[in-house]
């Protein structure tokens, strides 16, 4: 019914930049909050950044000043611009969205499949 498809991950040197995108598609009525999470090997999944429908943002302390989350409501897409990347940013990054579908008519959390970001030192 609903798919979140991420793109933009890859390998980059420390200090470099990457831009992640996540597009939602399917039987979507509305999308509320959207966000990016990450999970490094042996660690729990953690929130990186979140954005409300009205574009209020929230960031993990570890990425403040380096990462920027944004969204395009017309395209059902959320972005994560990552600058000044560090080796400790290496993780699988997952997109999350709170979506109301035209079938269920209630809000559920949906997840993307994840995209690998690797930062070399």
């Amino acid at each position: 019914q609903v798919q979140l498809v991420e793109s933009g991950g890859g390998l980059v040197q420390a200090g470099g930049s990457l831009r992640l995108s996540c597009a939602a598609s399917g039987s979507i009525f509305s999308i509320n909050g959207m966000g990016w999470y990450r999970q490094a090997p042996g660690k729990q999944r953690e929130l990186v950044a979140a954005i409300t429908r009205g574009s209020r943002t929230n960031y993990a302390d570890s990425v403040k000043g380096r990462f920027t989350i944004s969204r395009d409501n017309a395209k059902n897409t959320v972005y994560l611009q990552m600058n000044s990347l560090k080796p400790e940013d290496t993780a699988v990054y997952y997109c999350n969205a709170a979506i109301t579908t035209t079938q269920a008519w209630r809000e559920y959390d949906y997840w993307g499949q994840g995209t690998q970001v690797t930062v070399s030192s």
Side-chain angles (χ1 to χ4, degrees), residues 33-80:
M34 303 183 83
W36 290 94
Y37 289 72
R38 66 187 181 187
Q39 187 166 19
K43 294 188 176 181
Q44 288 189 330
R45 189 174 296 189
E46 62 175 0
L47 175 67
V48 176
I51 185 168
T52 68
R53 183 168 179 82
S55 293
R56 284 186 301 168
T57 59
N58 181 43
Y59 296 93
D61 287 343
S62 59
V63 307
K64 282 180 181 177
R66 300 188 297 122
F67 290 10
T68 302
I69 189 171
S70 61
R71 66 189 284 172
D72 184 334
N73 291 332
K75 295 181 179 180
N76 291 336
T77 299
V78 63
Y79 306 95
L80 185 68

